[in-house]
Amino acid sequence: MTILRAEIAGRFDGWLHDVNQVCGHFDAQCLGEGFSGSIREHQTGALRLSFVDITQARLFRSSKEIAQSDCKHFYLVSQLSGRAGMEQAGNCVEMQPGDITLIDSSVPNNFLYEDSSRQISLILPRHLLEQSRRFTEVHCAQRIPASAPMAAMANRLILESTQQGALSVSESEATLEALVSLLRPVLCASDSVPDAHERLFRKTLRFIDEHICSEELCPEAIAREVGVSMRGLYRMFAKKGLVVAQYIKNRRLDFCAETLRQAGSEQKLSALGYEWGFTDSSYFSTAFKARFGVSPSDYRKRYSGR
């Protein structure tokens, strides 16, 4: 068993090293003995993409990894097979075959691959999406379903670009511009004010972050504050692929992990949990290990020597 675990750890470390070489700095967590992972880079002209295969792993980027990376781009992610959970800036989507989403390299993210998953990750230069003044916001971690015509055409263009011979710089740049033109209507928000439901959801997320340390924070208090029924609150989060209580717990755990990654963090673990709203230290340790695969103390040791 020890030999098997050492073999898995070796494969995992090698895979993460390859990911960091191709995609920039990420951290990761192995979720089980069924882990497997590989990444194959493809570049022609200005087109840079990679085929990413992952099973039983969590891949994420915190402010620590962002500080070590070149964050001048977005990742356009196309799900080829299997499923994956992708989370960024309060948005969480479950990717299914044919779906597309956009991830900002400069914002913390969290990707979950519990089962076998294959994706294409294409680098989109930031200026291609942000050059037009008609658009004020780029939507990240929003699912463009495979059934959408724009997703079908974009997927076809991406796959066909990998099957052609070498493209010139001008040809590859034209391909990128065509992809952005196809997807801009669904990836970018216009200057119009978000609809009432979206404004309410954003207000709810702000309230949660503002009170994340309070042990009084719960779905009932949130619903009362933002002026919706409990059923309405649950429905609002369900539309984003989220569960209210789980979102609060994961948000707290992510803040705890961020604190533990900081150099010189010597705060008692029970005090750390309490600071972020966990009143039961045993539950905090159990929940932390369930999310990150190791106990809070082992997690801190992992980063203390870096």
Side-chain angles (χ1 to χ4, degrees), residues 278-297:
F278 292 97
T279 56
D280 186 323
S281 59
S282 177
Y283 173 72
F284 164 59
S285 295
T286 301
F288 191 97
K289 187 171 184 178
R291 182 156 176 80
F292 296 103
V294 295
S295 67
S297 58

Side-chain angles (χ1 to χ4, degrees), residues 76 122 124 154 157-158 174-184:
L76 185 67
L122 171 68
L124 285 182
L157 183 56
I158 293 170
T175 302
L176 287 174
E177 290 172 359
L179 278 170
V180 171
S181 295
L182 272 174
L183 297 174
R184 183 178 276 125

Side-chain angles (χ1 to χ4, degrees), residues 14 37 70 72 84 88 93 100 117 140 156-157 167 171 194 196 210 213 222 231 247 268 278-279 291 293 297 304:
D70 175 5
K72 298 179 181 178
Q88 185 170 62
V93 292
I100 290 177
S117 170
C140 292
R156 191 176 304 119
L157 183 56
L167 297 176
E171 289 170 337
E210 289 168 1
C213 297
I222 296 169
R231 179 177 295 181
Y247 175 82
K268 288 186 177 180
F278 292 97
T279 56
R291 182 156 176 80
S297 58
S304 61

Side-chain angles (χ1 to χ4, degrees), residues 94-247:
E94 181 177 319
M95 299 284 286
Q96 301 183 32
D99 291 350
I100 290 177
T101 195
L102 190 74
I103 298 297
D104 190 337
S105 67
S106 68
V107 178
N109 53 54
N110 182 44
F111 310 145
L112 188 63
Y113 306 93
E114 295 181 307
D115 300 312
S116 180
S117 170
R118 190 166 206 238
Q119 299 177 329
I120 288 181
S121 179
L122 171 68
I123 290 180
L124 285 182
R126 188 172 295 274
H127 73 272
L128 287 181
L129 281 168
E130 298 182 342
Q131 63 187 355
S132 175
R133 293 185 179 180
R134 292 177 299 163
F135 303 102
T136 58
E137 182 180 358
V138 177
H139 288 311
C140 292
Q142 299 280 357
R143 174 174 166 262
I144 305 174
S147 58
M150 296 303 180
M153 288 189 285
N155 277 322
R156 191 176 304 119
L157 183 56
I158 293 170
L159 287 171
E160 288 185 357
S161 72
T162 67
Q163 297 167 2
Q164 303 299 318
L167 297 176
S168 67
V169 172
S170 59
E171 289 170 337
S172 57
E173 287 178 344
T175 302
L176 287 174
E177 290 172 359
L179 278 170
V180 171
S181 295
L182 272 174
L183 297 174
R184 183 178 276 125
V186 286
L187 291 178
C188 300
S190 66
D191 288 330
S192 60
V193 178
D195 62 37
H197 295 290
E198 184 64 24
R199 290 199 303 272
L200 184 61
F201 182 67
R202 295 180 186 181
K203 176 183 177 182
T204 303
L205 295 186
R206 286 196 299 271
F207 177 79
I208 290 174
D209 274 0
E210 289 168 1
H211 298 82
I212 196 68
C213 297
S214 172
E215 61 183 86
E216 305 297 327
L217 184 65
C218 63
E220 291 81 1
I222 296 169
R224 185 170 57 251
E225 171 65 24
V226 300
V228 298
S229 65
M230 289 294 294
R231 179 177 295 181
L233 180 69
Y234 292 141
R235 186 183 300 117
M236 178 167 54
F237 273 72
K239 286 181 178 179
K240 301 288 186 179
L242 300 169
V243 177
V244 183
Q246 185 179 39
Y247 175 82

Side-chain angles (χ1 to χ4, degrees), residues 40-57:
R40 177 170 64 87
E41 188 175 18
H42 177 88
Q43 182 167 358
T44 176
L47 273 174
R48 292 177 56 202
L49 57 85
S50 53
F51 291 86
V52 186
D53 293 272
I54 313 178
T55 304
Q56 290 193 16

